[in-house]
Amino acid sequence: LIDNTGTIINDGTIINDGIIENFSTLNIDGVINTGTIENTGTLINDGTINNTSYIENTGLIENNGYLNNDGTLINDGTLNNEGTIDNFSIIDNFGTIHNTIDGIINNEDTINNDGIIINNDLLENTGIIDNSGTIDNYGNIFNYNSIINNNDGIIYNTIDGTLNNDGVINNDGTIANDGTLNNDGVINND
């Protein structure tokens, strides 16, 4: 158990098979191989996080490096991405994910969104995005598999946004398009 109420600056490697509870500031310039991270403070990643277990964020994560998710990532706070997030497992978003300019999110498994996703650069989906929240696209979304937009879901493709669909979009909610929608797949609108 690492229980941080101060500041931890990591320039090396932390192999965590237990729990890291961060209530203050955790700066990562090296590598963390995770067991469990519970963040209620600020986690700044300029290195690499390899999540093979569980990350729960109710604070702020600033990802400027590489976040490899092979476990479960629950965001109930704010996750700002200016680096790369590769998702090979589950991301449950109840807060805000802001994929900023220069941010890349590659989803190869499942993103469940009950919060807000703001995409300013690249979101590439070869898995499933299950949306009951809001997705605001100012950048590029490439869907090669499945987007489910549920009854409460809103997908807003802004004037600067491009939504490329080569898979299937099942829409029971609202899709508002002020930008470019390239459809080489299937859009089912119920």
Side-chain angles (χ1 to χ4, degrees):
L1 174 66
I2 298 173
D3 191 353
N4 177 43
T5 57
T7 300
I8 295 175
I9 299 171
N10 174 46
D11 291 320
T13 300
I14 297 173
I15 299 172
N16 176 43
D17 292 321
I19 298 171
I20 297 173
E21 292 181 338
N22 180 48
F23 302 101
S24 187
T25 302
L26 177 60
N27 291 323
I28 303 161
D29 291 322
V31 177
I32 290 186
N33 294 316
T34 70
T36 298
I37 295 177
E38 296 173 357
N39 181 54
T40 59
T42 300
L43 190 155
I44 300 168
N45 179 40
D46 291 314
T48 300
I49 297 175
N50 291 312
N51 178 36
T52 56
S53 184
Y54 183 80
I55 296 174
E56 182 176 6
N57 177 50
T58 56
L60 172 65
I61 295 177
E62 293 278 352
N63 182 51
N64 305 311
Y66 180 63
L67 197 161
N68 176 40
N69 185 49
D70 270 320
T72 299
L73 192 159
I74 297 175
N75 180 52
D76 218 348
T78 300
L79 193 162
N80 291 327
N81 180 51
E82 198 171 310
T84 299
I85 298 173
D86 283 336
N87 181 46
F88 299 102
S89 191
I90 297 171
I91 296 175
D92 288 328
N93 181 48
F94 302 98
T96 300
I97 297 175
H98 186 193
N99 193 41
T100 64
I101 293 176
D102 296 328
I104 298 170
I105 298 174
N106 296 309
N107 178 48
E108 295 193 18
D109 200 322
T110 304
I111 297 175
N112 297 311
N113 181 46
D114 288 290
I116 299 169
I117 297 174
I118 302 166
N119 180 51
N120 287 100
D121 203 320
L122 176 62
L123 194 163
E124 188 170 79
N125 179 49
T126 57
I128 297 169
I129 297 175
D130 191 342
N131 182 49
S132 295
T134 300
I135 299 173
D136 290 333
N137 182 42
Y138 298 87
N140 290 288
I141 295 176
F142 290 90
N143 178 47
Y144 297 107
N145 194 7
S146 178
I147 296 175
I148 302 164
N149 194 42
N150 296 303
N151 191 37
D152 294 335
I154 298 169
I155 298 173
Y156 177 44
N157 192 43
T158 68
I159 195 167
D160 297 323
T162 301
L163 175 56
N164 299 289
N165 181 45
D166 289 309
V168 176
I169 298 174
N170 290 314
N171 180 45
D172 289 325
T174 301
I175 297 175
N177 181 46
D178 289 334
T180 302
L181 195 157
N182 297 315
N183 183 40
D184 290 322
V186 175
I187 299 175
N188 296 315
N189 191 42
D190 294 327

